[in-house]
Amino acid sequence: MLNKLIRKNDKTISIPLKKRKEDAQQEQLPSHIAIIMDGNGRWANKRALPRIAGHHEGMKTVKKITRFANEVGIKVLTLYAFSTENWKRPKMEVEFLMRLPEEFLGTYLPELIEQNVQVQMMGNMESLPEHTKRAIQKAMDKTAMNDGLILNFALNYGSRDEIVQAVSQIARNVQAGHVAVEEISEQLLSNHLMTKHLSDPDLLIRTSGEVRLSNFMLWQLAYTEFWFTDTLWPDFDEACLMDAIENYQKRNRRYGGLKEGEGN
Ligand code: FPP
């Protein structure tokens, strides 16, 4: 059901997705959307399927949402695909998750190239299996010249680890005399994170009803608008993304200050 039903003058009106998209494009869109894709396991469980079936369905949602985000005009889509903590899952599940980028890019890369999408990755690439690294590297190389939507996979990513690495790097630079302690600033720290070339997310979405950040972009989410939904990731569709965007557009972002006229 992609149309949105609203009540107006005691009548139920259905708004087609296309119209919702066009209306949203008339207003300020979130430039960077980050998503914690949660609920694959529960989706599978509800159907008496193995957890990996949920991850596979989740991969199809990634395609759908990437395509739609690009059409809407979102500039950056960051997807939490595998955290540094996810290695603790059963070996078979980890192996399956590590095969997904290969399958996804194996079938979808030509379309991503055609759609002008640029694939990027943040996380510790070194300790990924060779086949996963190869698939991601190939996609990054083949789309490097594209300047449409940035599809940024957070893979083997952990925010605390990212911050520790940034702080260590800055400490080494101070020790070597390249940076003075007085020069350490928010901007300097941001410049040492894996997102140094990206703006902070404007909108964070987490699916499946969980309301926590799970070590995701802790620094970058300082002023981000959050949208939590009970929908499980494999069920998340274009209309769900529109719900989140429309809700975002109604919010009053103040960054700790006041909007004009609010100071009286
Ligand atoms: C969390 O759901 C989801 C993950 C740990 C994996 C997310 C991966 C995908 C959606 C596919 C990624 C696709 C590509 C192309 C990289 P969960 O397993 O914790 O669900 P549960 O909380 O219901 O058990």
Side-chain angles (χ1 to χ4, degrees), residues 29-33 69-70 72-77 148-150 241 245:
L29 285 165
S31 170
H32 183 171
I33 299 182
N70 195 24
V72 172
I74 305 304
K75 302 279 180 255
V76 185
L77 181 65
L149 172 81
I150 294 177
L241 185 64
I245 292 174

Side-chain angles (χ1 to χ4, degrees), residues 20-208:
R20 293 176 70 189
K21 189 178 85 179
E22 286 163 3
D23 287 350
Q25 285 166 332
Q26 303 305 310
E27 289 179 50
Q28 179 91 36
L29 285 165
S31 170
H32 183 171
I33 299 182
I35 309 186
I36 303 178
M37 309 180 289
D38 198 6
N40 295 346
R42 274 163 285 167
W43 183 92
N45 218 2
K46 275 182 20 186
R47 289 161 180 80
L49 294 169
R51 293 177 55 79
I52 57 170
H55 294 314
H56 198 260
E57 202 59 28
M59 181 193 72
K60 293 187 197 162
T61 304
V62 171
K63 279 190 193 175
K64 197 161 47 184
I65 293 304
T66 303
R67 211 175 269 144
F68 188 66
N70 195 24
E71 267 175 48
V72 172
I74 305 304
K75 302 279 180 255
V76 185
L77 181 65
T78 295
L79 301 177
Y80 205 9
F82 194 90
S83 74
T84 43
E85 289 73 35
N86 285 151
W87 296 107
K88 291 183 231 156
R89 294 193 175 205
K91 189 163 175 278
M92 203 268 271
E93 185 173 342
V94 170
E95 279 175 8
F96 187 85
L97 284 169
M98 286 297 149
R99 288 275 169 202
L100 280 185
E102 227 175 326
E103 181 177 343
F104 173 81
L105 294 164
T107 57
Y108 193 39
L109 186 56
E111 193 180 322
L112 290 174
I113 294 171
E114 199 193 302
Q115 288 172 358
N116 196 25
V117 172
Q118 189 184 133
V119 177
Q120 295 189 4
M121 183 205 134
M122 65 175 189
N124 182 352
M125 199 171 187
E126 278 311 292
S127 41
L128 292 177
E130 279 306 318
H131 60 84
T132 315
K133 261 193 266 190
R134 237 189 344 261
I136 297 275
Q137 193 58 58
K138 177 177 164 196
M140 292 198 299
D141 293 345
K142 295 234 173 215
T143 60
M145 302 307 284
N146 288 352
D147 58 7
L149 172 81
I150 294 177
L151 174 59
N152 181 33
F153 284 111
L155 203 57
N156 196 14
Y157 172 84
S159 181
R160 288 184 172 184
D161 176 59
E162 177 191 32
I163 293 170
V164 167
Q165 282 192 39
V167 170
S168 311
Q169 185 59 50
I170 293 170
R172 276 195 294 276
N173 288 341
V174 171
Q175 211 169 30
H178 301 319
V179 173
V181 172
E182 299 70 35
E183 286 177 279
I184 299 175
S185 63
E186 290 186 12
Q187 193 55 53
L188 186 82
L189 200 118
S190 293
N191 290 346
H192 286 78
L193 297 176
M194 292 164 183
T195 48
K196 54 179 169 283
H197 57 298
L198 299 175
S199 60
D200 288 341
D202 301 291
L203 173 63
L204 169 86
I205 299 172
R206 183 170 187 149
T207 59
S208 92

